[in-house]
Amino acid sequence: MADKRGLEKLDFGALSIEQQQQLRQFKINTRINNEKYLREHPETEALISDFLRDVFLKRPTDIREYAADYFTDPNLGLIIGSKLQGDPAETGTD
């Protein structure tokens, strides 16, 4: 039976104990791999932080169009690179 939001109630018997353990281990491994990737690629955090900062400051009416323009900016690599280098002109932290 669905709840008010249209979601099905949890079926705790749908997975066997072994499947639950495998799923739990998969989730743990996925999180570990994601964290390793993010540590190896600090530009990812800089990119997302800069995008969100711009969105909150500019509050575009069409977020999809704004995101498309932001992520296809030919200078984006230079902008993020200078933020990683700590250039105050690019970080907005004069």
Side-chain angles (χ1 to χ4, degrees):
M1 171 171 265
D3 68 9
K4 295 176 190 173
R5 297 171 300 221
L7 300 175
E8 295 291 324
K9 293 191 180 204
L10 295 177
D11 182 359
F12 292 105
L15 298 177
S16 69
I17 298 296
E18 182 180 346
Q19 289 172 321
Q20 290 174 22
Q21 291 170 341
Q22 289 173 343
L23 178 59
R24 182 175 179 275
Q25 191 59 49
F26 173 78
K27 289 179 179 181
I28 291 169
N29 290 339
T30 299
R31 174 166 270 183
I32 290 169
N33 289 331
N34 289 345
E35 289 178 12
K36 283 180 184 177
Y37 179 85
L38 291 174
R39 274 190 231 110
E40 293 168 1
H41 298 278
E43 68 276 11
T44 305
E45 182 180 350
L47 182 67
I48 293 169
S49 295
D50 188 64
F51 172 71
L52 290 175
R53 179 182 159 276
D54 278 3
V55 166
F56 291 136
L57 289 174
K58 297 175 182 174
R59 301 194 183 272
T61 54
D62 187 342
I63 188 69
R64 291 180 183 163
E65 182 179 338
Y66 184 82
D69 291 342
Y70 179 88
F71 288 108
T72 58
D73 181 346
N75 296 317
L76 186 58
L78 296 173
I79 294 168
I80 297 304
S82 57
K83 288 181 187 298
L84 289 171
Q85 296 297 320
D87 182 355
E90 291 295 330
T91 60
T93 58
D94 301 313

